[in-house]
Amino acid sequence: MRVLVTGGAGFIGSHIVDRLVARGDEVVVLDSLAVQDGLPDYLPDGVDFRVGDLSDEAAVQGAVAGVDAVCHQAARVGLGVDFNDVSAYVRDNDLGTANLLRALWNRSFKGRLVVASSMVVYGEGRYNCPDHGRGDVPPRSAADLDAGRFEPRCPTCGEDLDWETVPEHAGFDPRNVYAATKVHTEHLSFLYGREAGVNVCALRYHNVYGPRMPRDTPYAGVAAIFRSAFEAGRAPRVFEDGGQMRDFVHVDDVARANVLALDSDWNGACNIASGEPHSVGDMANALAAGFTGVPKPVVTGEYRLGDVRHVVASPDLAEAVLGFRAETRFDKGMAEFATAPLRA
Ligand code: UD1
């Protein structure tokens, strides 16, 4: 099978490329190399590597020619610096996806399309009030956060809510620009599927970590930020009270999920998660265990207004429809991550 991996030189994309090459697929990579210094040394031989941006019509047309499947990973990720990033996110993620889909449309592509999405499309996770049941959870107020009250509250009685795992049919509630572009990426991709009569799969990654993760930048996730802090001999700063729950899923598992999705015919979105939720505080401690002589993580009580409190997935649909179940256990994965090579 000839597969185009957009963003195939990046963190997740490159692990997908490794797997596809290892099983004998012909792989085309289209990557702008926008977030790296030249061609990475980890790309396997035999890849048809093209440096190009999704805004470059000729590059996209060339990359989609003759492919049987597309795995769309190229995106501007993370939270960014501030709202000034909005145009760059929309250009790279919304317009980039649109350009890719238009190129596929123009060559009457009927193959498999898998797109990278994110749990950020849900906004806050799912919550239950023991007295008032489930309901929409409004963003946490600055006043509550200033007072150190971090748990979302029931809009009816004001009491703290209990978190639950989020299923794929939960509504969209993007809380930052990146999240809004991932909602749009999904919508555009499923619209392509309807118009072209093909099945499309969107994978909603939870907090991915592992080798080749970008180092500490405004676009990096918390695992890379903590790892970089330890490496520099600094104590990681754990925001809020450290009790915010996430699902840290290893990049090897995420890459395997993509290959399973490419091989499946599932039409719809799937959470890609480890199924083993941990708090951010736990993650800092698990990572600390991989180092010697580093300062202990500091729980600061600081907060970022755009952060959601808990977001933890149900991995059941991915198992049922893709046959995907994560294999890397949290403790082992974090211990290895302490010394894994990161990208500059
Ligand atoms: C992250 C990614 C998002 C991705 C999603 C799923 C970023 C910025 N966010 O969302 O792009 O789609 O996972 O893979 O990459 N925290 C600290 N100390 C710090 C930094 C963060 O305690 O120095 C806390 C935050 O307050 C938050 C948690 O760690 O509660 C997770 O933060 P982060 O990884 O930035 O964002 P997510 O919302 O989990």
Side-chain angles (χ1 to χ4, degrees):
M1 175 160 84
R2 187 170 165 89
V3 188
L4 167 63
V5 183
T6 69
F11 169 40
I12 298 173
S14 67
H15 286 274
I16 299 170
V17 169
D18 286 349
R19 281 187 179 259
L20 294 174
V21 168
R23 72 175 196 169
D25 284 333
E26 224 182 294
V27 180
V28 184
V29 166
L30 181 64
D31 197 298
S32 66
L33 297 181
V35 288
Q36 23 212 342
D37 247 353
L39 204 61
D41 56 8
Y42 48 71
L43 268 188
D45 290 338
V47 172
D48 178 352
F49 188 84
R50 294 145 185 256
V51 181
D53 195 278
L54 290 173
S55 63
D56 177 345
E57 203 166 321
V60 178
Q61 266 173 19
V64 302
V67 300
D68 308 296
V70 176
C71 187
H72 176 35
Q73 305 294 318
R76 180 177 290 262
V77 299
L79 224 47
V81 182
D82 56 30
F83 196 81
N84 191 44
D85 282 336
V86 63
S87 307
Y89 274 96
V90 169
R91 181 195 62 223
D92 291 351
N93 299 356
D94 294 350
L95 194 57
T97 300
N99 289 340
L100 173 67
L101 297 174
R102 194 160 66 94
L104 293 174
W105 177 258
N106 286 332
R107 59 146 284 207
S108 308
F109 174 80
K110 299 270 185 207
R112 184 64 170 148
L113 176 59
V114 174
V115 298
S117 183
S118 167
M119 55 69 163
V120 293
V121 299
Y122 299 123
E124 274 292 352
R126 194 178 224 216
Y127 295 90
N128 187 50
C129 171
D131 294 326
H132 302 100
R134 284 196 199 109
D136 289 341
V137 179
R140 297 176 292 172
S141 72
D144 274 355
L145 293 165
D146 282 334
R149 186 156 188 179
F150 299 118
E151 295 300 335
R153 302 210 230 174
C154 171
T156 309
C157 65
E159 291 302 314
D160 288 356
L161 294 164
D162 301 326
W163 62 267
E164 296 183 340
T165 57
V166 191
E168 286 78 355
H169 58 75
F172 288 135
D173 185 11
R175 301 272 172 104
N176 58 51
V177 168
Y178 167 66
T181 65
K182 280 291 163 184
V183 172
H184 204 203
T185 295
E186 284 200 19
H187 281 150
L188 293 176
S189 303
F190 287 118
L191 287 171
Y192 177 84
R194 278 170 64 101
E195 295 276 338
V198 298
N199 286 348
V200 174
C201 183
L203 299 180
R204 294 182 184 154
Y205 305 154
H206 283 251
N207 294 65
V208 187
Y209 71 98
R212 303 178 196 158
M213 195 170 182
R215 277 176 202 279
D216 192 351
T217 72
Y219 305 93
V222 65
I225 292 172
F226 286 2
R227 154 74 201 264
S228 302
F230 281 130
E231 223 170 24
R234 283 184 277 113
R237 299 178 70 77
V238 179
F239 298 157
E240 304 186 15
D241 57 1
Q244 55 276 45
M245 299 299 287
R246 290 292 187 277
D247 185 306
F248 296 95
V249 58
H250 196 275
V251 69
D252 278 348
D253 284 318
V254 174
R256 196 162 47 81
N258 273 276
V259 176
L260 288 167
L262 283 166
D263 290 346
S264 90
D265 195 34
W266 170 250
N267 190 49
C270 280
N271 287 324
I272 298 301
S274 72
E276 201 192 339
H278 284 275
S279 69
V280 170
D282 274 359
M283 193 274 285
N285 291 325
L287 199 53
F291 290 88
T292 40
V294 289
K296 276 200 162 71
V298 183
V299 179
T300 67
E302 293 162 284
Y303 65 86
R304 301 185 301 195
L305 202 56
D307 274 335
V308 298
R309 175 65 175 170
H310 307 295
V311 52
V312 169
S314 164
D316 295 344
L317 183 71
E319 179 158 28
V321 300
L322 305 180
F324 169 74
R325 175 73 52 198
E327 286 171 357
T328 308
R329 302 301 308 270
F330 177 79
D331 288 340
K332 182 170 168 282
M334 283 296 165
E336 283 174 7
F337 183 55
T339 54
L342 299 191
R343 280 204 343 252

